[in-house]
Amino acid sequence: MSLLLGSLIVMLTVTGQLLLKVGADSSKSERLINGYVLAGYALFFMIVVVSYLLMSIMPMMNFTVIVSVNYIAVTLTARIVLKEEISKGLIFGTALIVIGVFVFLNN
């Protein structure tokens, strides 16, 4: 159950971030009332609810790993779907997150 909810959080986060990016880029005059932006915010509300459920059934140590995976998943998905450039700084930061997760899990 916790693996399913954790995967759901990652998928909702990635989708919400992509919707916000597309919405922000689609129309400068409608940025706050754009359907993409509203859908992105709705997904973030769902993430809060699912995160609350997950934290009640999973140790916080494991939950922090899921939150860390979100950064990696959003970066990779933005590159693949939106064709965004990934800077050296972003690669370095993502590598630090991956290293941190491995160190965290091995202690």
Side-chain angles (χ1 to χ4, degrees):
M1 176 74 160
S2 57
L3 181 60
L4 178 67
L5 289 175
S7 300
L8 181 63
I9 287 173
V10 172
M11 288 187 293
L12 290 173
T13 301
V14 167
T15 306
Q17 290 283 349
L18 292 178
L19 286 170
L20 286 174
K21 174 66 174 165
V22 169
D25 289 345
S26 67
S27 174
K28 302 299 180 192
S29 63
E30 301 179 42
R31 189 171 292 182
L32 295 178
I33 56 171
N34 189 313
Y36 292 112
V37 172
L38 292 175
Y41 284 132
L43 287 179
F44 284 127
F45 177 75
M46 291 173 59
I47 292 166
V48 170
V49 173
V50 174
S51 295
Y52 179 77
L53 292 171
L54 188 58
M55 285 187 280
S56 68
I57 62 172
M58 158 185 274
M60 193 61 165
M61 191 162 109
N62 296 344
F63 183 76
T64 57
V65 173
I66 292 170
V67 172
S68 299
V69 169
N70 279 332
Y71 294 108
I72 300 162
V74 168
T75 300
L76 293 176
T77 307
R79 174 68 181 139
I80 294 166
V81 175
L82 301 177
K83 309 291 188 235
E84 288 197 358
E85 294 295 319
I86 299 178
S87 68
K88 290 179 183 177
L90 189 57
I91 292 171
F92 180 72
T94 304
L96 281 178
I97 291 171
V98 170
I99 291 168
V101 167
F102 282 118
V103 168
F104 188 73
L105 289 176
N106 290 321
N107 284 329

